[in-house]
């Protein structure tokens, strides 16, 4: 559907209000296949940290684990942020979790209920409100910018999707949660402010950010079933998050936890009490 055909009640983003948000340089493009792809190109070209690209209509969004991410025009926020963290690469797996903390903080400030399903799905009443995809972009070998690797932080937040427009029945949107029209510009401004705060905490006070993540988590303390590539599954209590952002699971009748990374888990589901141990 062309952007001009969008339903009433879905105004364009207000670029004036996005001009100076917490030091971010925000660009709005009318339509693009993927904001992550656009920002990745900018990262490879040497663009500085702080670029934010959002769009009125993302037509071929990228999701985690090579899944897609779809959204009708102006019914959601598709946002990608260019970061160049001066933090050791071993800590970068925390970036998606850091972003999740920012999104939940923003959504809660706006008056909605939300929590974090490990690693970074933002849920409202058990339904997915927002997905996050962080991609690492290496500096080209012949780079003259000297900027090193970049992180492209992609956020897809369902703002005004109706029940009929949801990509899957287990998703939700702010409008469905709150029952009122949603101002996407206000949501984006709030989100970028929280991203600034979470990003600073991650770089300078990682233990504080980790404690906030634990507070917002709806996974920790639950019995979970982590489905692994190849068909196996790890079942047990989700007990913690390690310094690499991995979920620590204590399998039933085991003494030691097992840590699984986000890339190792195809699905994470609540585990029925009859499941036991490694399978
Ligand atoms: C997920 O699968 O849960 C992550 C979805 C991430 C979607 C966002 S929308 C903005 C950015 N651009 C993309 O192509 N993907 C991310």
């Amino acid at each position: 559907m062309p952007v001009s055909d969008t339903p009433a009640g879905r105004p364009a983003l207000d670029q004036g209000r996005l001009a100076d948000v917490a030091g971010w340089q925000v660009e709005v493009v009318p339509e693009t296949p993927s904001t992550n792809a656009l920002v990745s190109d900018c990262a490879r070209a040497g663009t500085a940290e702080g670029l934010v690209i959002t769009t009125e209509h993302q037509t071929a969004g990228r999701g985690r684990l090579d899944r897609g991410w779809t959204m009708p025009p102006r019914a959601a926020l598709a946002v990608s942020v260019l970061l160049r963290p001066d933090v050791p690469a071993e800590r970068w797996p925390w970036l998606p979790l850091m972003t999740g903390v920012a999104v939940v903080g923003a959504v809660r400030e706006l008056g909605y209920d939300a929590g974090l399903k490990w690693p970074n799905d933002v849920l409202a009443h058990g339904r997915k409100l927002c997905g996050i995809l962080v991609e690492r972009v290496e500096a080209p070998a012949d780079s003259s910018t000297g900027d090193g690797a970049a992180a492209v932080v992609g956020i897809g937040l369902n703002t005004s999707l109706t029940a009929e427009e949801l990509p899957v029945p287990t998703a939700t949107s702010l409008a469905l949660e709150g029952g009122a029209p949603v101002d996407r510009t206000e949501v984006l401004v709030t989100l970028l402010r929280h991203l600034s705060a979470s990003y600073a905490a991650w770089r300078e006070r990682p233990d504080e950010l980790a404690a906030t993540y634990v507070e917002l988590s709806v996974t920790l303390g639950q019995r979970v079933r982590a489905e692994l590539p190849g068909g196996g599954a790890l079942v047990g209590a989700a007990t913690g998050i390690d310094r690499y952002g991995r979920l620590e699971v204590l399998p039933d009748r085991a003494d030691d936890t097992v840590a699984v990374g986000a890339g190792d888990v195809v699905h994470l589901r609540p585990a029925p009490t009859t499941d036991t141990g490694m399978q």
Side-chain angles (χ1 to χ4, degrees), residues 34-36 58 61-64 69 78-80 121 128 131-133 154-156:
S34 160
T35 55
N36 263 31
Q58 180 171 259
R62 300 174 181 170
R64 287 183 55 230
W69 185 263
V79 188
S80 298
D121 282 350
K128 186 161 168 175
I132 293 164
L133 174 68
I155 302 166

Side-chain angles (χ1 to χ4, degrees), residues 32-38 53-55 58 60-71 77-81 120-122 128 130-135 152-157:
T32 186
S34 160
T35 55
N36 263 31
L38 274 185
I53 295 184
T54 185
T55 185
Q58 180 171 259
R62 300 174 181 170
R64 287 183 55 230
L65 305 170
D66 290 328
R67 298 172 187 139
W69 185 263
T70 58
M71 48 179 62
L77 280 174
V79 188
S80 298
V81 179
N120 53 20
D121 282 350
V122 177
K128 186 161 168 175
C130 173
I132 293 164
L133 174 68
V134 177
E135 298 181 279
V152 176
V153 173
I155 302 166
L157 174 57

Side-chain angles (χ1 to χ4, degrees), residues 22-38:
W24 300 105
Q25 284 79 54
V26 184
E27 291 180 15
V28 182
V29 298
E31 183 171 302
T32 186
S34 160
T35 55
N36 263 31
L38 274 185

Side-chain angles (χ1 to χ4, degrees), residues 258-271:
V258 178
V260 285
D264 302 326
V265 176
V266 182
H267 287 294
L268 186 77
R269 306 183 194 282

Side-chain angles (χ1 to χ4, degrees), residues 205-267:
R205 303 177 305 281
D207 291 347
E208 181 185 310
L209 181 81
T212 306
Y213 183 95
V214 169
E215 276 171 32
L216 301 178
S217 173
V218 297
T219 301
L220 296 176
Q222 305 297 310
R223 270 176 59 79
V224 295
R225 176 184 176 86
E227 296 178 2
L228 309 173
L234 176 65
V235 180
T239 56
I241 311 288
D242 72 10
R243 65 189 300 261
Y244 308 108
R246 297 178 303 183
L247 181 67
E248 295 171 328
V249 178
L250 181 64
D252 299 332
R253 290 187 292 280
D255 293 328
D256 296 318
T257 59
V258 178
V260 285
D264 302 326
V265 176
V266 182
H267 287 294

